[in-house]
Amino acid sequence: MAMSISISNNRSFNIFSETMRKLLFVIAQLAMAMGMNAQKYSIKATIDNLPDGTVVQLTPMSHEKEQPLGETTVKDGKFEFTGTATEPVCVHIKVKDSYGPCSLMLENTDITITGSVEKGKAWDGVDQYRWNTVVTGSPLTQKYLAFVAERNKLDQLYMANREKFKAVHEKARSLKGDELAAYKKTEEYQALERADHEFFQTVDKVLNGLILDNKDSFWGPLLAHQYMSYFTPDQRNLYSQFSDAAKNSWYGRKMRAELWPAGGVGEKIHMFTVRDEAGKGVSFQQLAQGKKYVLIDFWASWCRPCRNEIPNVKRQYELYKDKGFEVVSISIDRNAAQWKKALQEEKLQWPNFLSTEVADQFKVKAVPTMYLVDAEGTIIAENDDARGEKLAKKLAELFTN
């Protein structure tokens, strides 16, 4: 039966047209949603110099130790990952238990990677790979690489400054005490400091500008993760300028969790268990038993500031160990042999453990990270307030009272 609509009746026709437009819009939206849900990503890689049997992982880029989204094995120089991306995220393709990623944006499209790798060793003896690759089929990756290129320009500027003032750096390293203090007052050394100051001003201006230029989308917090190794309370103002969409993105949520971590002064730490060299679990409660205060020290053998702090911790330990003070050192070293070597060199007398898992629990982004807690795990002081003269002063107050 034909529908009777009088075209001469403009009002009736307009109502019909508007209803149909709404209906068609809803149908289109449903079709789009169904299509998006059906989409998947496919990453196919052909990489020279990766032997058969090499295990590669696909892992989200963030400041935390993320669990891999996938793991596969190289065969005939090729490997593949498939899955569904629910929101934009930057990912690293890495050889398992190594350094050096191939970075790209994960999106539901067919992505191809071609190129080669060069294998070497990092400072701690762990395998390190340099990826020389081309990524095609991912528009988001092309935009991401453009942002990376802006960061690389700053690296080049930094290296140019280092080369320009190479002789000044070498001379400064050769001097000590009063001679070094006197040299730092010369025009030659002051020129180096002015160049460094101008460089870091440029870094702040360029990188913060790129982040804030993208404050209304997921790119803002993603670039904050890309450009900054970790966040401090100084970046809270930066976060506050993001749109709601940016804050609610995957990287926006990650950034907020890092800027406002659980466990501030007056709050209790995450209860944890470490394993000794025999593999036996040791809980915080066991470590704190019979103690009044515990200094939890996250460090690494390669961290110079960490090792520079050890003499101060030793002094405090000798002063208060018989009064109820304990130190628990937890290394984030990936090379157990180097950790053990550092223990022998430093002759540490308190409990020592190797555990990146516990460091992740505490959201440790850099070392040294230190917490002074009571026997119940309540934080009394953290980081700078639990080091150096501030640690000595705080312990003197606690044990005097």
Side-chain angles (χ1 to χ4, degrees):
M1 178 178 180
M3 182 178 292
S4 177
I5 298 288
S6 172
I7 296 178
S8 62
N9 187 335
N10 289 333
R11 182 174 179 277
S12 298
F13 182 72
N14 288 340
I15 291 173
F16 173 79
S17 300
E18 183 64 25
T19 301
M20 288 300 295
R21 277 197 293 269
K22 288 181 179 180
L23 179 60
L24 290 171
F25 176 78
V26 170
I27 292 172
Q29 290 293 101
L30 287 171
M32 185 181 297
M34 291 174 67
M36 288 180 65
N37 289 336
Q39 287 179 341
K40 292 181 178 293
Y41 63 80
S42 169
I43 303 173
K44 295 182 178 180
T46 303
I47 309 295
D48 293 337
N49 303 329
L50 273 183
D52 283 3
T54 301
V55 178
V56 290
Q57 295 177 320
L58 181 73
T59 308
M61 179 276 289
S62 81
H63 290 169
E64 298 184 44
K65 185 178 180 181
E66 301 289 345
Q67 292 299 311
L69 299 174
E71 182 175 298
T72 189
T73 303
V74 176
K75 183 178 181 181
D76 298 328
K78 299 179 180 181
F79 61 86
E80 182 177 353
F81 292 103
T82 58
T84 301
T86 56
E87 55 184 316
V89 61
C90 177
V91 291
H92 291 327
I93 294 177
K94 294 174 61 177
V95 174
K96 187 176 182 180
D97 298 326
S98 73
Y99 297 132
C102 170
S103 302
L104 65 151
M105 291 295 297
L106 195 63
E107 55 181 316
N108 291 320
T109 184
D110 293 331
I111 302 171
T112 301
I113 306 174
T114 56
S116 62
V117 295
E118 300 172 16
K119 183 179 177 182
K121 292 289 184 182
W123 74 95
D124 57 0
V126 174
D127 288 343
Q128 184 168 27
Y129 290 83
R130 178 181 175 84
W131 296 72
N132 303 297
T133 54
V134 175
V135 179
T136 56
S138 170
L140 287 182
T141 295
Q142 300 312 309
K143 186 171 183 177
Y144 167 76
L145 292 177
F147 288 128
V148 172
E150 293 299 317
R151 176 66 175 82
N152 291 342
K153 290 178 185 177
L154 294 173
D155 289 340
Q156 294 167 7
L157 178 60
Y158 175 76
M159 295 307 296
N161 273 350
R162 294 290 296 183
E163 186 62 29
K164 180 179 179 181
F165 293 98
K166 183 178 179 181
V168 180
H169 283 291
E170 289 178 349
K171 185 172 181 179
R173 283 195 296 269
S174 70
L175 301 174
K176 295 181 180 179
D178 293 340
E179 288 184 335
L180 177 60
Y183 182 57
K184 287 184 175 181
K185 295 178 181 179
T186 64
E187 174 57 28
E188 186 176 67
Y189 192 87
Q190 291 295 314
L192 180 153
E193 290 202 324
R194 286 195 298 271
D196 282 348
H197 179 70
E198 290 172 5
F199 169 75
F200 287 111
Q201 280 189 321
T202 300
V203 169
D204 287 342
K205 181 178 179 180
V206 171
L207 298 188
N208 283 334
L210 287 169
I211 293 168
L212 290 176
D213 283 347
N214 293 275
K215 62 184 174 65
D216 293 328
S217 75
F218 70 88
W219 284 112
L222 186 156
L223 293 176
H225 278 79
Q226 178 71 35
Y227 294 149
M228 301 174 186
S229 298
Y230 54 90
F231 300 130
T232 69
D234 292 339
Q235 277 82 54
R236 289 177 180 175
N237 180 58
L238 179 66
Y239 175 86
S240 70
Q241 298 178 66
F242 290 147
S243 68
D244 287 343
K247 290 177 179 177
N248 290 325
S249 69
W250 194 82
Y251 284 103
R253 300 192 300 273
K254 286 280 185 183
M255 189 171 180
R256 178 175 176 78
E258 189 173 341
L259 286 172
W260 285 275
V265 172
E267 298 179 26
K268 288 195 174 183
I269 61 168
H270 305 282
M271 290 295 107
F272 63 90
T273 297
V274 285
R275 295 197 175 277
D276 60 21
E277 290 191 53
K280 181 181 179 182
V282 184
S283 68
F284 168 78
Q285 291 89 337
Q286 290 173 302
L287 292 166
Q289 188 173 4
K291 306 297 180 181
K292 293 182 180 179
Y293 304 103
V294 180
L295 180 69
I296 304 170
D297 174 23
F298 291 97
W299 72 299
S301 63
W302 44 261
C303 169
R304 183 51 50 190
C306 301
R307 299 186 71 162
N308 288 344
E309 178 65 14
I310 287 174
N312 176 57
V313 177
K314 282 184 174 179
R315 285 193 294 271
Q316 307 313 314
Y317 185 70
E318 288 300 319
L319 284 171
Y320 302 111
K321 65 179 182 179
D322 295 329
K323 298 181 180 180
F325 179 52
E326 181 64 283
V327 179
V328 176
S329 288
I330 302 174
S331 171
I332 64 168
D333 275 279
R334 295 185 67 174
N335 188 314
Q338 290 192 1
W339 167 62
K340 291 177 181 178
K341 181 173 179 287
L343 291 182
Q344 292 175 351
E345 292 171 348
E346 299 293 353
K347 296 180 172 58
L348 303 183
Q349 301 301 311
W350 51 78
N352 285 271
F353 304 93
L354 184 66
S355 179
T356 56
E357 291 79 7
V358 174
D360 291 341
Q361 239 184 295
F362 279 76
K363 298 186 181 296
V364 172
K365 305 304 176 187
V367 287
T369 292
M370 307 178 83
Y371 293 91
L372 179 63
V373 303
D374 65 18
E376 301 302 316
T378 302
I379 298 174
I380 297 168
E382 58 182 335
N383 295 322
D384 287 348
D385 290 335
R387 297 171 59 191
E389 293 183 2
K390 290 183 178 180
L391 173 63
K393 183 178 179 181
K394 177 59 69 175
L395 290 174
E397 290 175 0
L398 292 171
F399 284 103
T400 299
N401 297 331

